[in-house]
Amino acid sequence: MYALLALLALGLLLAVHELGHLLAARLLGVSVPRFSLGFGPPLLSFRLLGTEFVVAAIPFGASATLHGMNPHAPGLEPGDPRSYSAQRLWKRVLITLAGSLGNYLFPPALLFA
């Protein structure tokens, strides 16, 4: 029972981490085509503000897919201004650090709530 609770808590921390990347990327003008909670086949999927949100079958972890994060992805145009790879260095650093910042801010926010 405790192991299951520990896995769920770890999954929640991973989801908060990826949510930090998602929020920072959207605020800095980078397109985020997909945000997934869990992995495996999708159970529930909806689109909101250009991002497909997915709740997957295995509820462990999360993933935020940033447009242009993989420079070898098919269909990526080099000059696309909404691409991660086209952003300035400081924006890419902020997006990358936002995941850890989300993990640092989550416990105090939870305590104050």
Side-chain angles (χ1 to χ4, degrees):
M1 180 64 177
Y2 291 118
L4 180 62
L5 289 175
L7 283 175
L8 288 174
L10 185 59
L12 178 65
L13 285 177
L14 289 170
V16 168
H17 179 88
E18 292 299 323
L19 189 62
H21 293 306
L22 170 84
L23 293 175
R26 304 255 332 239
L27 285 172
L28 294 173
V30 175
S31 175
V32 183
R34 184 177 175 150
F35 181 79
S36 176
L37 290 174
F39 61 95
L43 297 176
L44 174 70
S45 173
F46 63 93
R47 187 167 287 282
L48 179 67
L49 299 174
T51 300
E52 178 188 17
F53 290 89
V54 175
V55 177
I58 302 171
F60 182 69
S63 130
T65 306
L66 303 177
H67 177 65
M69 187 78 160
N70 178 4
H72 305 293
L76 179 65
E77 296 179 22
D80 187 2
R82 299 201 25 97
S83 168
Y84 176 83
S85 58
Q87 303 302 315
R88 294 184 174 271
L89 178 63
W90 67 270
K91 284 186 177 183
R92 288 181 289 169
V93 168
L94 281 178
I95 292 169
T96 303
L97 291 177
S100 297
L101 183 63
N103 284 116
Y104 283 118
L105 294 178
F106 181 65
L110 193 62
L111 285 174
F112 286 118

